Amino acid sequence: MKILIVDYYGDHYHDQFNTIHIKALERLNADITLMGADSHFQDAANKKVLTIPSKLYKTFSSRFLLSLRSRFWDILKLIYLSFAIQKERYDFIVFLRYEIFCIPFFRTSQNVILFDHSSASTMHSIAKRCALNLIGDNYVHAALNDEIYKHIKTILPNKKVVMIPHGMLSPFHERKYCNLVSANKSFVFCSATSSCDEELLHHIIFSDKVKNYLKARDLQLLVKCKSCFESNETITRIEGFINQEDYEYLIANAVAVFLPYNHDFGYRVSGVFFECVANETPVIASSIPSFLAYAENGQPLFTINDDAGFIEALSHLSQHLCKWDCSKFSPDIYWERIIKNNK
C-alpha cells in the first residue's frame, strides 16, 4: 500500500496528530512518503520526503493580510503539489489538514483523504459547499468522531465520508509544582477560549450553589478567561499568560477540567479535550456535538447545561473511579478497514 501523507502548512500545531496517523499506517506496513515544508515532519527518519519549496511559505504581520495572502500562497502550494506528484501513483494521498477554499486547486484523479479538524463546522456555508462540490468523487472526507461523520453526511450527502478517530496524544511529563495553586489543593481547571459559552460560564461562577458545593468540599475552581469577575475563596480568576509547565500541571492534576465551549465550536475537535484524555483527567463540558460524540457510558465526560449539572458531575466523580477507555480513540482499526477495502 503506497501512501503519500501531506501537511502543506508550515507550523507545528498538529505534530502529535501527524505522528499518531503516520505511526498507525506504519504498523500496517504502508509504504509512506511525506510531503511538506523543509524539516516539517518529526517522523521523517527512513522515509521518503518530498519538500515543498521554502519560497512558497510567507509570514504576514497583519491579521487581515494573513487571511487573504496565506490563502493565496496555500493555493500556490496546492498547485505545486498537483504537478509534483502527477508522475507518481499512490493508493491514497492523505491531507492531514486542509482549507476548504484552497483544496479545489489540488487536482488529481488519485484517491484523496481529507481530515476534517474544523472544516465540518462551517460546511453549511453556501460558498464552502460550492467549493467542496468542485472536488471529485475520488476525494473522501475523514471525520474524527461519529457526530462529525453524521454532520458531513447531512451537509454533503453525495460525498464519500469515512470515520477515522483522532488518536491518543502523549501524556505530559509529571509536574510536581504549580505557581497558580497551593500544594495538595484539589481543584477544577477551566481554560475558556475565544469559543467560550459566556452565559454557561457566568452561570457557574456566579452560582451560590456551586460556591457552597466547592466550599463544603475544599475545592477550588481556577478559571482562565476574558470575563472580568472578582476572585473569591472558592473561585479564582487566572490573569495573564499561563506558562507551559503550569498549564501541564493544571491539566494533569485537576479533579476535572471544565470546557464551556459555545455552539459555534460545533463540530470541531478540542485539543484540550484530548490532552485531558491522555492525562486521565475527567472532563465537564458544554452539551455540544463535539463532546456528545464521546459521552458514552463509563467515560469520564459529563456534558452539562447549568450549575446543577456541574455539581452533579463533580458529585459523580467524588463517588466513582472513572477511567477513560482509550481504545475508543485509536485510529488503527479504521485505517486497516480503509486499506483492506481499497485492495
Side-chain angles (χ1 to χ4, degrees):
M1 180 63 62
K2 193 175 179 181
I3 297 178
L4 175 65
I5 296 178
V6 180
D7 186 356
Y8 63 88
Y9 291 77
D11 58 60
H12 292 275
Y13 295 126
H14 283 230
D15 280 356
Q16 282 205 61
F17 177 83
N18 294 356
T19 296
I20 288 165
H21 291 274
I22 291 169
K23 289 189 178 300
L25 289 167
E26 281 184 323
R27 287 190 287 272
L28 295 170
N29 299 314
D31 178 8
I32 296 172
T33 300
L34 305 176
M35 191 166 197
D38 186 31
S39 303
H40 178 70
F41 290 98
Q42 296 181 340
D43 306 272
N46 303 317
K47 298 181 187 68
K48 184 179 180 182
V49 178
L50 303 177
T51 302
I52 299 172
S54 58
K55 65 183 179 181
L56 294 178
Y57 290 90
K58 305 291 181 181
T59 56
F60 309 102
S61 56
S62 164
R63 180 166 291 188
F64 175 73
L65 291 178
L66 175 65
S67 175
L68 292 178
R69 291 188 180 179
S70 66
R71 191 169 284 166
F72 170 77
W73 287 102
D74 283 349
I75 288 171
L76 292 185
K77 292 182 197 110
L78 289 165
I79 293 172
Y80 171 84
L81 291 174
S82 300
F83 285 100
I85 66 163
Q86 61 183 354
K87 293 182 180 179
E88 289 286 340
R89 296 301 303 176
Y90 298 97
D91 293 288
F92 287 107
I93 299 171
V94 179
F95 279 82
L96 294 169
R97 44 184 167 158
Y98 75 100
E99 202 280 331
I100 289 178
F101 288 123
C102 297
I103 199 64
F105 289 89
F106 178 73
R107 312 300 294 178
T108 183
S109 60
Q110 302 188 59
N111 294 324
V112 178
I113 295 178
L114 305 170
F115 269 103
D116 286 291
H117 291 273
S118 59
S119 306
S121 286
T122 58
M123 282 181 180
H124 59 274
S125 156
I126 293 175
K128 292 187 175 181
R129 281 202 310 251
C130 288
L132 290 172
N133 282 327
L134 293 174
I135 64 178
D137 292 338
N138 54 311
Y139 289 69
V140 178
H141 294 274
L144 295 171
N145 63 46
D146 287 331
E147 292 293 325
I148 296 175
Y149 176 89
K150 289 185 285 188
H151 179 69
I152 297 175
K153 290 293 286 183
T154 300
I155 297 292
L156 302 171
N158 297 321
K159 295 294 183 181
K160 296 176 183 175
V161 187
V162 295
M163 166 80 171
I164 308 177
H166 183 285
M168 285 291 295
L169 301 179
S170 299
F172 294 142
H173 297 297
E174 184 179 356
R175 309 287 182 186
K176 295 183 177 180
Y177 178 78
C178 174
N179 293 309
L180 300 171
V181 62
S182 303
N184 302 318
K185 179 73 173 181
S186 295
F187 63 92
V188 177
F189 176 49
C190 171
S191 180
T193 67
S194 56
S195 299
C196 175
D197 184 339
E198 295 286 348
E199 184 178 350
L200 176 59
L201 178 60
H202 287 181
H203 196 61
I204 301 301
I205 62 179
F206 293 117
S207 167
D208 289 335
K209 292 179 182 178
V210 169
K211 291 175 185 176
N212 292 335
Y213 180 90
L214 296 173
K215 184 177 180 179
R217 288 153 184 82
D218 195 26
L219 270 173
Q220 192 78 14
L221 174 58
L222 304 175
V223 182
K224 169 64 177 170
C225 68
K226 295 180 180 179
S227 300
C228 291
F229 67 90
E230 292 290 333
S231 296
N232 54 60
E233 60 180 326
T234 56
I235 302 176
T236 301
R237 179 174 176 244
I238 300 174
E239 299 184 52
F241 176 75
I242 302 178
N243 65 47
Q244 186 63 25
E245 290 77 15
D246 285 346
Y247 174 79
E248 291 182 5
Y249 179 93
L250 294 173
I251 292 291
N253 292 279
V255 171
V257 169
F258 178 37
L259 301 177
Y261 292 155
N262 59 28
H263 284 278
D264 289 339
F265 191 82
Y267 295 90
R268 286 184 277 169
V269 169
S270 167
V272 181
F273 169 76
F274 280 100
E275 288 172 344
C276 293
V277 176
N279 290 281
E280 299 185 357
T281 303
V283 172
I284 302 171
S286 44
S287 185
I288 61 172
S290 180
F291 297 116
L292 293 174
Y294 304 110
E296 301 176 0
N297 290 335
Q299 296 282 43
L301 168 62
F302 306 88
T303 54
I304 68 165
N305 297 299
D306 52 28
D307 56 346
F310 185 79
I311 292 170
E312 183 180 349
L314 288 177
S315 297
H316 184 92
L317 287 171
S318 69
Q319 298 169 27
H320 301 86
L321 178 63
C322 300
K323 280 193 164 289
W324 291 102
D325 179 0
C326 296
S327 65
K328 302 288 186 182
F329 303 98
S330 173
D332 291 48
I333 189 171
Y334 294 86
W335 274 120
E336 184 177 10
R337 190 179 302 152
I338 289 167
I339 288 173
K340 283 182 178 178
N341 289 341
N342 192 58
K343 288 182 178 178

